Amino acid sequence: VRGEAIGPRFALKERENAPMSDKPAPQPGERLAKVIARAGICSRRDAESWISAGRVSVNGSVVKTPAFNVIEADTVSVDGKEIARRQPTQLWLYHKPAGLMVTEKDPEGRPTVFDALAHLGLPRVVTVGRLDYNTEGLLLLTNDGGLKRTLELPSTGWLRRYRVRAY
């Protein structure tokens, strides 16, 4: 009876003390789909399907599995065209006027912030937070999804202050 009661704990303890060679070593670099998505070509999910379809090559060799990591020295090509290298993190401030949607694509065809910024030739940017269609105000844009996430998550503890005027 005693052996059964501590059996699962004992099994867990054995796993904790297992030699490190049993665990696969973490691979250096980043997932290929993430690198493609950051370049602004498509979403991560689309990139994974493109990889599986054989449209992506790394250093001249076609990659067939999305479970592939690349390092900065690698050359990644999609449909034979080399993708842009990772850019340094940048942050832009934009005063959004009323009448623009804060979204990549609006199903109703309304104008978006990205339509208004298209003529500036910015790299792929994402918005930090949102503003309503009829709202105007300061909007942050960045080319780094990790920074966006850090600024948006309440658990990071960033203090946010809003000034609102209602009629």
Side-chain angles (χ1 to χ4, degrees):
V1 173
R2 182 176 173 183
E4 290 175 27
I6 63 168
R9 281 190 185 187
F10 180 72
L12 180 61
K13 202 66 167 167
E14 278 183 5
R15 274 186 257 129
E16 287 175 2
N17 294 332
M20 293 299 283
S21 61
D22 288 352
K23 294 181 182 179
Q27 298 298 313
E30 287 186 297
R31 288 290 182 153
L32 182 55
K34 184 175 181 180
V35 171
I36 294 169
R38 187 183 305 111
I41 299 170
C42 62
S43 69
R44 264 195 224 186
R45 295 228 187 268
D46 287 343
E48 288 172 355
S49 64
W50 290 4
I51 294 165
S52 298
R55 296 177 59 185
V56 178
S57 62
V58 175
N59 300 327
S61 300
V62 175
V63 178
K64 289 286 193 172
T65 176
F68 189 89
N69 285 9
V70 294
I71 58 173
E72 276 195 48
D74 289 330
T75 302
V76 179
S77 300
V78 176
D79 295 331
K81 295 179 186 175
E82 189 175 327
I83 66 168
R85 302 257 180 211
R86 183 177 184 162
Q87 299 295 314
T89 298
Q90 294 179 307
L91 184 68
W92 292 269
L93 304 174
Y94 174 65
H95 185 269
K96 179 194 128 9
L100 292 179
M101 294 297 296
V102 182
T103 183
E104 290 280 334
K105 297 172 194 153
D106 182 45
E108 296 179 28
R110 295 173 290 192
T112 69
V113 169
F114 299 103
D115 295 337
L117 297 172
H119 71 281
L120 296 177
L122 294 173
R124 179 182 176 270
V125 294
V126 291
T127 60
V128 179
R130 293 177 171 256
L131 292 172
D132 292 336
Y133 180 72
N134 291 320
T135 303
E136 69 175 79
L138 186 65
L139 190 62
L140 299 177
L141 303 155
T142 182
N143 64 342
D144 187 336
L147 175 61
K148 168 192 165 77
R149 183 165 169 76
T150 299
L151 292 174
E152 286 181 339
L153 282 176
S155 62
T156 58
W158 283 87
L159 179 64
R160 295 162 181 87
R161 288 193 181 139
Y162 302 93
R163 190 173 101 193
V164 178
R165 189 180 320 167
Y167 298 100

